[in-house]
């Protein structure tokens, strides 16, 4: 389901405090700076096997919200996994954790927001959970919510 992205400031002007605003100061890494879609979630701690598996399935315009526990130690996404997300029709990734291959990420038609970069790969055990609610920056992201992201921030529309 493709959702037309709307600048987050415009959404705030329209919805005010009914809008959930994530307070995490994400950095922008992807080539698509304004993106939106239905939320999918994955929780994984310094292990990206589950995340990789999910991004190799059709995304149908969804935005994957990744709760990596805010770890700066390992990258949860690099150019290969992000490239798979782009090819499979995901609109974007919002990662409470780190990425790598940041220059290559900027060349993809994919939204990618994360806390920072680190060259170290993550584990590959498959630990984690998919489509369970995750809370990041004071906002609980639930599968099926609508998220919009741009250079000004990340917001969620309920219902």
């Amino acid at each position: 389901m493709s959702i037309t992205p709307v600048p987050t400031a415009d959404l705030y002007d329209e919805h005010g405090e009914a809008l959930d605003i994530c307070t995490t100061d994400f950095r922008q890494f992807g080539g698509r700076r304004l993106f939106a879609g239905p939320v999918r979630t994955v929780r994984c701690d310094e292990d990206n096997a589950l995340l990789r598996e999910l991004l190799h399935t059709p995304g149908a315009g969804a935005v994957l919200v990744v709760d990596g526990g805010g770890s700066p130690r390992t990258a949860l996404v690099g150019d290969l996994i992000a490239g798979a997300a782009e090819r499979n029709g995901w609109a974007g990734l919002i990662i409470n954790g780190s990425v790598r291959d940041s220059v290559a990420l900027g060349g993809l038609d994919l939204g990618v927001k994360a806390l920072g970069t680190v060259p170290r790969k993550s584990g590959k055990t498959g630990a984690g959970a998919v489509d369970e609610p995750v809370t990041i920056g004071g906002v609980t992201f639930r599968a099926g919510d609508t998220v919009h992201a741009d250079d000004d921030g990340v917001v969620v529309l309920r219902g």
Side-chain angles (χ1 to χ4, degrees):
M1 173 168 109
S2 181
I3 294 175
T4 301
V6 177
T8 58
D10 292 351
L11 285 170
Y12 182 82
D13 290 348
E14 181 178 341
H15 297 279
E17 293 303 311
L19 196 66
D20 287 340
I21 300 172
C22 181
T23 58
T24 299
D25 190 19
F26 290 106
R27 291 174 51 196
Q28 191 81 267
F29 292 99
R32 190 184 294 181
R33 301 185 72 82
L34 172 65
F35 60 99
V39 170
R40 298 283 311 273
T41 67
V42 65
R43 181 179 299 115
C44 51
D45 186 21
E46 296 186 7
D47 186 311
N48 71 358
L50 192 58
L51 162 67
R52 180 186 180 283
E53 181 181 320
L54 185 57
L55 292 175
H56 277 83
T57 65
V63 174
L64 185 61
V65 178
V66 180
D67 185 0
S71 175
R73 291 183 22 85
T74 64
L76 293 173
V77 171
D79 61 341
L80 297 178
I81 291 176
E86 178 189 41
R87 287 188 304 279
N88 286 300
W90 292 83
L93 311 172
I94 298 170
I95 304 162
N96 185 28
S98 298
V99 296
R100 63 187 229 155
D101 306 312
S102 60
V103 172
L105 295 179
L108 297 175
D109 183 22
L110 180 72
V112 180
K113 292 178 89 60
L115 299 179
T117 61
V118 65
R120 181 181 294 119
K121 291 182 178 182
S122 70
K124 311 284 187 233
T125 67
V130 174
D131 287 335
E132 291 184 357
V134 299
T135 301
I136 302 167
V139 172
T140 300
F141 295 85
R142 294 176 182 86
D145 288 342
T146 300
V147 64
H148 290 259
D150 62 13
D151 288 333
D152 290 335
V154 174
V155 300
V156 174
L157 286 170
R158 303 286 176 203

